Each structure stands twice: as C-alpha cells, then as structure tokens.
C-alpha cells in the first residue's frame, strides 16, 4: 500500500461501518479524507482527523468513531499498525514504499504535465476572465490553486466563484463536483489589467518563474520575500535546487545512454527519496484541500534535495559495469524528475531539462 491508497482505504472503512450499523447512516457522508505525514513528535508515519469530521454528523464522540474505524483498518492488508491518539486522531504505520510501484505511479505525472502545458484541462476562458482584475500575486496563486484542485478532483469541474482579491488573501475557489463550464474548455486568455508598478518591477528584475516561486512559497498571511537569492544558482536558493534537480534527472538519463544502459524499475535502497516520492499524492491532496500551493512547493524542495543526494549513486563509478542496480536507480531518479516537473507545472513554473 502506498500513502495515496491510505486515504481511499479510510473512506472505505467509514462506508463499511455505516453499512454494518456501527455508525449511524444519517448524515455520514465522506467522499474524501485528508491523510498527512505525522508531525514531529507524533505517532506513526501518517495521521488523519477523519473521526472528528464523521463525529459531527454521527453524533458520537470522536474517540468512539476513531475506535470503530481503527478496528476495521487494522485488518487491512498493507497497514502495519493503527493507533488512536488524543481525542480521536488515527495514526498509521505503513511498510517501506516499493521503488518499482513508485516508478509506475510517476507515469501519471506525464499526463499532468501534458494537461497543464496544454491548459485545456485546467484553466478555462472563465477562469482567465475571473483572474483578469486581480493583482499579480492573487492571479499567480489563484491559477495555481485551480490547477492543483483540478489535478486532484478531476478535470470536469468548474469553479463556482472567482479567486479572492486582497493583498494578503489566499486565492480561493469554490470547486463544486459536477458544475460544468458552459463556455467550453478552452478560450484565449482575457486581456489582463496592467500590472501595478511594483509588480512590473518584480517581474522585470526576477523573471516570471522566480517571482512566482516567491509568491507561491509564502503562506497566505505572509508577504512574499523577493531577494537576490532567487537569482542565485547555488545551494542557498530553493528555487534553483528544485529546477536543478529536475535537470539533473535528465542529465543522468543522457549519461546512462552514453554508457549503454537505460532505466528499469527494481528494488532500490533510498529511504529519503522513496519517502518523498510516496508522499507526493498526499501533499497534493492537502494542498488542494487547504488551497495552499506552498505545501506543494515545500514538498518539491524536499524531493529535490533527496534526489540531489541520491544522484551520485545512479551511474557506475570508475571501471564499474552497469548492473541491474544501476538501472533501478536510474528509473527511480527519472521518476523523481517526472514528479518534480509535474509539481512545477502545477505551480505554473518552467522545468528546464538543462540548467
């Protein structure tokens, strides 16, 4: 079981508990459950507050609901341990992620990248018109939120309200399942109001991608920090490290081809990189749920740093001949590069293959 499966497993447990009469049928509707990495000092690998959500409609204490769900989830294959803590938090321990399955999961991100670059599945003409009167930050954050929400919830969904305005407001969307955009999927971007002088200066100095990174990594109530670090091509710049890690994944593929071998999924001992890849879907779910693209940006930094640490093990060293281990490591590095490209695309930032 990968972490993304855990959310669906919890939803199934809630539904089965209702069907079997362990939870009242009236009002208990759970379509999606947010599961997140346990915070430092917590128990297990992952946690969810779903019992609090269900308890409101079930009229039961959250701890009772959590105990009901925990009994069911302990019987699920692929979950090593389930524990209830506090007033009703469910905590999970999962087996170590499988490299080969994560490589296969990365194929999904090829589709994400194509859709985002094409634009058809994510931003409609109505979306562009809704964003036309906003400031630069609100526009950048709002469009990123739309991409993330639609990547998670599907592409046949339309916004029910424009993104919010305000210098420090989080761009929000009211995405309602089944609300279809009657004006068609694709329309030319509407004319956008001229940028404020300060926004124009920021774009001129830092460029669109670096400026977007600064805006998207700042939480809603914080002011973005624009500094020369954004222009630095070195370890001090998170923006550089994320795009450089993506470029390095392509360089590894090119160099492997020169050495006469290609990627082939297999077992790899790379716990930090495997964990970061396994968490990607959960991070995306949380970013969509909270309308918080900074969560995705922070995770891309974690993934990039893990890949940059791992890259030195991918290619043969000295007189070493390419082996199955090298092919498996290359496949994992390529998967990480694909996920980085998909994440950057959802943020509206270019992912160069050479840097």
């Amino acid at each position: 079981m990968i972490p993304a499966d855990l959310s669906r497993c919890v939803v199934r447990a809630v539904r089965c508990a209702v069907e079997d009469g362990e939870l009242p049928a009236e009002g208990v509707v759970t379509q999606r459950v947010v599961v997140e990495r346990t915070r430092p000092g917590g128990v297990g690998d992952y946690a969810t507050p779903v019992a609090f959500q269900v308890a409101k409609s079930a009229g039961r204490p959250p701890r009772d609901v959590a105990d009901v769900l925990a009994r069911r989830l302990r019987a699920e294959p692929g979950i090593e341990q389930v524990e209830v803590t506090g007033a009703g938090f469910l905590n999970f321990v999962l087996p170590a992620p499988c490299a080969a399955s994560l490589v296969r999961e990365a194929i999904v991100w090829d589709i994400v990248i194509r859709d985002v670059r094409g634009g058809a599945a994510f931003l409609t003409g109505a979306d562009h018109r809704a964003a036309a009167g906003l400031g630069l930050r609100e526009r950048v954050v709002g469009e990123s939120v739309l991409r993330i929400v639609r990547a998670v919830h599907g592409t046949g969904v339309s916004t029910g309200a424009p993104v919010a305005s305000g210098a420090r407001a989080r761009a929000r969307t009211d995405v309602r399942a089944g609300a279809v955009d009657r004006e068609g999927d694709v329309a030319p971007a509407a004319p956008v109001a001229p940028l404020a002088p300060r926004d124009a200066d920021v774009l001129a100095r830092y460029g669109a991608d670096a400026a977007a990174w600064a805006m998207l990594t700042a939480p809603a109530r914080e002011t973005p920090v624009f500094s020369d670090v954004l222009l630095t091509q070195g370890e001090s710049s998170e923006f550089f490290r994320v795009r450089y890690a993506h470029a390095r994944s392509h360089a590894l593929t090119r160099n492997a081809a020169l050495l006469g071998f290609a990627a082939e999924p297999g077992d790899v001992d790379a716990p930090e990189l495997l964990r970061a890849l396994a968490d990607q879907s959960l991070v995306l779910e949380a970013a969509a749920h909270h309308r918080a693209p900074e969560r995705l940006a922070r995770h891309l930094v974690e993934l990039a740093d893990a890949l940059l640490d791992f890259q030195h093990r991918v290619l043969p060293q000295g007189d070493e001949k390419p082996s199955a281990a090298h092919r498996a490591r290359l496949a994992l590095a390529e998967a990480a590069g694909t996920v980085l490209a998909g994440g950057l695309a959802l943020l509206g930032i270019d992912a160069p293959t050479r840097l």
Side-chain angles (χ1 to χ4, degrees), residues 251-266:
L252 291 170
T253 300
R254 293 192 297 267
N255 292 336
L258 293 175
L259 294 173
F261 76 99
E264 184 177 324

PDB file of all heavy atoms in Angstrom, residues 251-266:
ATOM      1  N   ALA A 251      19.984  14.750 -17.083  1.00  0.00           N
ATOM      2  CA  ALA A 251      21.409  14.544 -17.352  1.00  0.00           C
ATOM      3  C   ALA A 251      21.814  13.107 -17.055  1.00  0.00           C
ATOM      4  O   ALA A 251      22.615  12.502 -17.781  1.00  0.00           O
ATOM      5  CB  ALA A 251      22.245  15.516 -16.518  1.00  0.00           C
ATOM      6  N   LEU A 252      21.258  12.528 -15.989  1.00  0.00           N
ATOM      7  CA  LEU A 252      21.553  11.139 -15.661  1.00  0.00           C
ATOM      8  C   LEU A 252      21.096  10.206 -16.775  1.00  0.00           C
ATOM      9  O   LEU A 252      21.797   9.241 -17.128  1.00  0.00           O
ATOM     10  CB  LEU A 252      20.883  10.757 -14.339  1.00  0.00           C
ATOM     11  CG  LEU A 252      21.449  11.424 -13.079  1.00  0.00           C
ATOM     12  CD1 LEU A 252      20.539  11.141 -11.889  1.00  0.00           C
ATOM     13  CD2 LEU A 252      22.864  10.932 -12.795  1.00  0.00           C
ATOM     14  N   THR A 253      19.918  10.478 -17.339  1.00  0.00           N
ATOM     15  CA  THR A 253      19.418   9.653 -18.435  1.00  0.00           C
ATOM     16  C   THR A 253      20.319   9.763 -19.658  1.00  0.00           C
ATOM     17  O   THR A 253      20.644   8.756 -20.305  1.00  0.00           O
ATOM     18  CB  THR A 253      17.985  10.078 -18.805  1.00  0.00           C
ATOM     19  OG1 THR A 253      17.137   9.903 -17.660  1.00  0.00           O
ATOM     20  CG2 THR A 253      17.445   9.256 -19.964  1.00  0.00           C
ATOM     21  N   ARG A 254      20.747  10.992 -19.956  1.00  0.00           N
ATOM     22  CA  ARG A 254      21.638  11.176 -21.112  1.00  0.00           C
ATOM     23  C   ARG A 254      22.973  10.464 -20.894  1.00  0.00           C
ATOM     24  O   ARG A 254      23.486   9.792 -21.801  1.00  0.00           O
ATOM     25  CB  ARG A 254      21.870  12.675 -21.356  1.00  0.00           C
ATOM     26  CG  ARG A 254      20.624  13.439 -21.810  1.00  0.00           C
ATOM     27  CD  ARG A 254      20.987  14.833 -22.310  1.00  0.00           C
ATOM     28  NE  ARG A 254      21.569  15.660 -21.267  1.00  0.00           N
ATOM     29  CZ  ARG A 254      20.868  16.485 -20.487  1.00  0.00           C
ATOM     30  NH1 ARG A 254      19.548  16.566 -20.626  1.00  0.00           N
ATOM     31  NH2 ARG A 254      21.458  17.233 -19.580  1.00  0.00           N
ATOM     32  N   ASN A 255      23.528  10.587 -19.715  1.00  0.00           N
ATOM     33  CA  ASN A 255      24.821   9.966 -19.434  1.00  0.00           C
ATOM     34  C   ASN A 255      24.718   8.439 -19.407  1.00  0.00           C
ATOM     35  O   ASN A 255      25.649   7.734 -19.836  1.00  0.00           O
ATOM     36  CB  ASN A 255      25.380  10.480 -18.107  1.00  0.00           C
ATOM     37  CG  ASN A 255      25.765  11.944 -18.176  1.00  0.00           C
ATOM     38  OD1 ASN A 255      26.037  12.470 -19.254  1.00  0.00           O
ATOM     39  ND2 ASN A 255      25.779  12.612 -17.038  1.00  0.00           N
ATOM     40  N   ALA A 256      23.596   7.928 -18.903  1.00  0.00           N
ATOM     41  CA  ALA A 256      23.405   6.480 -18.910  1.00  0.00           C
ATOM     42  C   ALA A 256      23.343   5.947 -20.343  1.00  0.00           C
ATOM     43  O   ALA A 256      23.883   4.869 -20.635  1.00  0.00           O
ATOM     44  CB  ALA A 256      22.125   6.123 -18.162  1.00  0.00           C
ATOM     45  N   ALA A 257      22.696   6.693 -21.229  1.00  0.00           N
ATOM     46  CA  ALA A 257      22.624   6.266 -22.624  1.00  0.00           C
ATOM     47  C   ALA A 257      24.019   6.194 -23.239  1.00  0.00           C
ATOM     48  O   ALA A 257      24.325   5.276 -24.025  1.00  0.00           O
ATOM     49  CB  ALA A 257      21.741   7.224 -23.414  1.00  0.00           C
ATOM     50  N   LEU A 258      24.883   7.129 -22.883  1.00  0.00           N
ATOM     51  CA  LEU A 258      26.261   7.097 -23.385  1.00  0.00           C
ATOM     52  C   LEU A 258      27.015   5.871 -22.865  1.00  0.00           C
ATOM     53  O   LEU A 258      27.929   5.356 -23.529  1.00  0.00           O
ATOM     54  CB  LEU A 258      26.997   8.376 -22.973  1.00  0.00           C
ATOM     55  CG  LEU A 258      26.490   9.684 -23.612  1.00  0.00           C
ATOM     56  CD1 LEU A 258      27.233  10.877 -23.032  1.00  0.00           C
ATOM     57  CD2 LEU A 258      26.653   9.634 -25.132  1.00  0.00           C
ATOM     58  N   LEU A 259      26.625   5.399 -21.683  1.00  0.00           N
ATOM     59  CA  LEU A 259      27.254   4.219 -21.099  1.00  0.00           C
ATOM     60  C   LEU A 259      26.576   2.922 -21.538  1.00  0.00           C
ATOM     61  O   LEU A 259      26.988   1.832 -21.131  1.00  0.00           O
ATOM     62  CB  LEU A 259      27.234   4.318 -19.568  1.00  0.00           C
ATOM     63  CG  LEU A 259      28.080   5.445 -18.960  1.00  0.00           C
ATOM     64  CD1 LEU A 259      27.841   5.527 -17.455  1.00  0.00           C
ATOM     65  CD2 LEU A 259      29.563   5.230 -19.253  1.00  0.00           C
ATOM     66  N   GLY A 260      25.522   3.062 -22.330  1.00  0.00           N
ATOM     67  CA  GLY A 260      24.893   1.887 -22.910  1.00  0.00           C
ATOM     68  C   GLY A 260      23.829   1.209 -22.075  1.00  0.00           C
ATOM     69  O   GLY A 260      23.576   0.017 -22.252  1.00  0.00           O
ATOM     70  N   PHE A 261      23.182   1.920 -21.155  1.00  0.00           N
ATOM     71  CA  PHE A 261      22.094   1.283 -20.414  1.00  0.00           C
ATOM     72  C   PHE A 261      20.951   2.264 -20.199  1.00  0.00           C
ATOM     73  O   PHE A 261      21.107   3.479 -20.351  1.00  0.00           O
ATOM     74  CB  PHE A 261      22.594   0.713 -19.079  1.00  0.00           C
ATOM     75  CG  PHE A 261      22.848   1.727 -17.989  1.00  0.00           C
ATOM     76  CD1 PHE A 261      21.915   1.963 -16.995  1.00  0.00           C
ATOM     77  CD2 PHE A 261      24.050   2.427 -17.946  1.00  0.00           C
ATOM     78  CE1 PHE A 261      22.163   2.874 -15.981  1.00  0.00           C
ATOM     79  CE2 PHE A 261      24.306   3.337 -16.939  1.00  0.00           C
ATOM     80  CZ  PHE A 261      23.356   3.558 -15.939  1.00  0.00           C
ATOM     81  N   ALA A 262      19.787   1.709 -19.891  1.00  0.00           N
ATOM     82  CA  ALA A 262      18.578   2.506 -19.690  1.00  0.00           C
ATOM     83  C   ALA A 262      17.914   2.104 -18.381  1.00  0.00           C
ATOM     84  O   ALA A 262      18.315   1.138 -17.731  1.00  0.00           O
ATOM     85  CB  ALA A 262      17.613   2.307 -20.861  1.00  0.00           C
ATOM     86  N   ALA A 263      16.907   2.850 -18.024  1.00  0.00           N
ATOM     87  CA  ALA A 263      16.218   2.617 -16.754  1.00  0.00           C
ATOM     88  C   ALA A 263      15.378   1.353 -16.793  1.00  0.00           C
ATOM     89  O   ALA A 263      14.808   0.995 -17.831  1.00  0.00           O
ATOM     90  CB  ALA A 263      15.329   3.815 -16.432  1.00  0.00           C
ATOM     91  N   GLU A 264      15.299   0.690 -15.644  1.00  0.00           N
ATOM     92  CA  GLU A 264      14.447  -0.488 -15.481  1.00  0.00           C
ATOM     93  C   GLU A 264      14.054  -0.574 -14.006  1.00  0.00           C
ATOM     94  O   GLU A 264      14.916  -0.707 -13.142  1.00  0.00           O
ATOM     95  CB  GLU A 264      15.185  -1.746 -15.903  1.00  0.00           C
ATOM     96  CG  GLU A 264      14.330  -3.003 -15.848  1.00  0.00           C
ATOM     97  CD  GLU A 264      15.084  -4.220 -16.336  1.00  0.00           C
ATOM     98  OE1 GLU A 264      15.893  -4.098 -17.273  1.00  0.00           O
ATOM     99  OE2 GLU A 264      14.872  -5.301 -15.758  1.00  0.00           O
ATOM    100  N   PRO A 265      12.757  -0.482 -13.691  1.00  0.00           N
ATOM    101  CA  PRO A 265      12.333  -0.479 -12.291  1.00  0.00           C
ATOM    102  C   PRO A 265      12.812  -1.705 -11.528  1.00  0.00           C
ATOM    103  O   PRO A 265      12.869  -2.809 -12.069  1.00  0.00           O
ATOM    104  CB  PRO A 265      10.800  -0.451 -12.388  1.00  0.00           C
ATOM    105  CG  PRO A 265      10.515   0.138 -13.725  1.00  0.00           C
ATOM    106  CD  PRO A 265      11.625  -0.341 -14.615  1.00  0.00           C
ATOM    107  N   GLY A 266      13.156  -1.494 -10.290  1.00  0.00           N
ATOM    108  CA  GLY A 266      13.612  -2.564  -9.420  1.00  0.00           C
ATOM    109  C   GLY A 266      13.761  -2.064  -8.000  1.00  0.00           C
ATOM    110  O   GLY A 266      13.428  -0.914  -7.697  1.00  0.00           O
TER     111      GLY A 266
END
